[in-house]
Amino acid sequence: MESSDALIARFLALHPKIIDLSLGRIERLLADLGHPERRLPPVIHVAGTNGKGSTIAFMRAILESAGLAVHVYTSPHLVRFHERIRLGRTGGGRFVDEERLVEALRRCDAVNGAQPITVFEITTAAAFWLFAETPADVLLLEVGLGGRADATNVIERPAAAVVTAIGRDHADYLGDTVEKVAIEKAGVFKRGRPAVIAPQDYAEADTVLCASAEAAGAGPILVGGQDFSAHEERGRLVYKDEDGLLDLPRPKLFGRHQLVNAGTAVAALRAAGFGRLDAAAFEAGMSRVEWPGRLQRLTKGRLPGLMPQGAELWLDGGHNPDGARALAAAMADVEERSPAPLVLIVGMLGTKDADAYLRCFLGLAREAIAVPIVGQVAARPASDVAAVAHRVGLTASTAPSVEAALASLHDYVWDRPPRVLVCGSLYLAGEMLAANGTLPQ
């Protein structure tokens, strides 16, 4: 029997473009499958440039703490495709197993035949079929790219549609301005359904999202900073909206940006009809939340042992300038609390703005060690990344792998053990977790 990896590889031949934003092909396949997208539990649909996955992780942790069964669809995966589809069950969901994934992919393959369809479209259809066949209380659905013409945007009446922070990314598909990106993301808003807009870094994004939600007839429209807020106070997260205040533990996920994501998650759950959950579920969710590869400190596994004694190892898969600014701010907070020389181990795709990304670490990082990203044809050569780092003002070198970069730290004389941040790409984050033997669960 074909494995899921073999099936997905074969699907690449069904359409000449890996990414081709439109809804016609998936709508045709879903109709032929008997419309599984119409047999789903309540759906919270999440779009945005940064923070989508973390916001979903907070919602899942809260809902599962309340004893609910939660389906989750996210992308991309870090190590194995199965991470994209989490099937809900009481006591905590699990990634889809190989047998069920193959069954769903083969069903979609048989129904689709040789008709044109992208890999993301056919695998999204397979996910919808699995979610429809497996009882659960809610589906947390992440947009793949954009929103308006993304394959997930076939949900006609979501329990709520959420847009997290907007920034510049995927300009080839979404446009080269914040306004154009925001228009695409706002395509998830639906008439008569709640719209939740996270606090935005760009005023023009906020303006476009609010206007788009109104034009779509969405409602109620809840805007971060106006209709709800979240901030840290005495080491706690204080959330406030018109329904009242929640005094919660500081989120387990580190970084000031995670306070925003946590607040957006609470607002989304309340808008979607889950506001009556016991306060203990919101509290437990803040403490239980997990989201691998996003400002994750690795203390176990093979890789920490390659570094000098006492060194810290951190990992983040963010890859655009806005994500880098949030990451640099978080690492500055760590530095303020516990000073240590910061070393970046960085790999990036050629499609990303390495110049703007690396500039965020000026004055913070002692140096950058550029590494290749294995198996990615779009990866920028390590020598190019090092050249960009040098051009923006960072001390830079190259290493053939993350392992070699970590081992090279023994060649330095440190005043205190270094803090190492592996960053620049989700593909590199996945490669590192696999090498470390700490796969996402």
Side-chain angles (χ1 to χ4, degrees), residues 184-207:
E184 291 296 317
K185 306 287 187 182
V188 299
F189 296 141
K190 300 295 190 299
R191 179 169 298 280
R193 309 309 299 160
V196 179
I197 300 171
Q200 297 295 316
D201 298 321
Y202 300 95
E204 56 267 42
D206 209 42
T207 299

Side-chain angles (χ1 to χ4, degrees), residues 1-4 7 11 33 87 96-111 126 129-130 133-134:
M1 184 174 71
E2 275 186 292
S3 68
S4 59
L7 282 162
F11 294 159
L33 284 168
L87 297 177
V96 63
D97 62 37
E98 174 70 0
E99 183 179 354
R100 293 204 68 191
L101 179 58
V102 167
E103 177 189 10
L105 293 175
R106 290 183 68 185
R107 179 178 292 267
C108 290
D109 185 30
V111 170
W129 184 80
L130 285 164
E133 294 295 311
T134 309

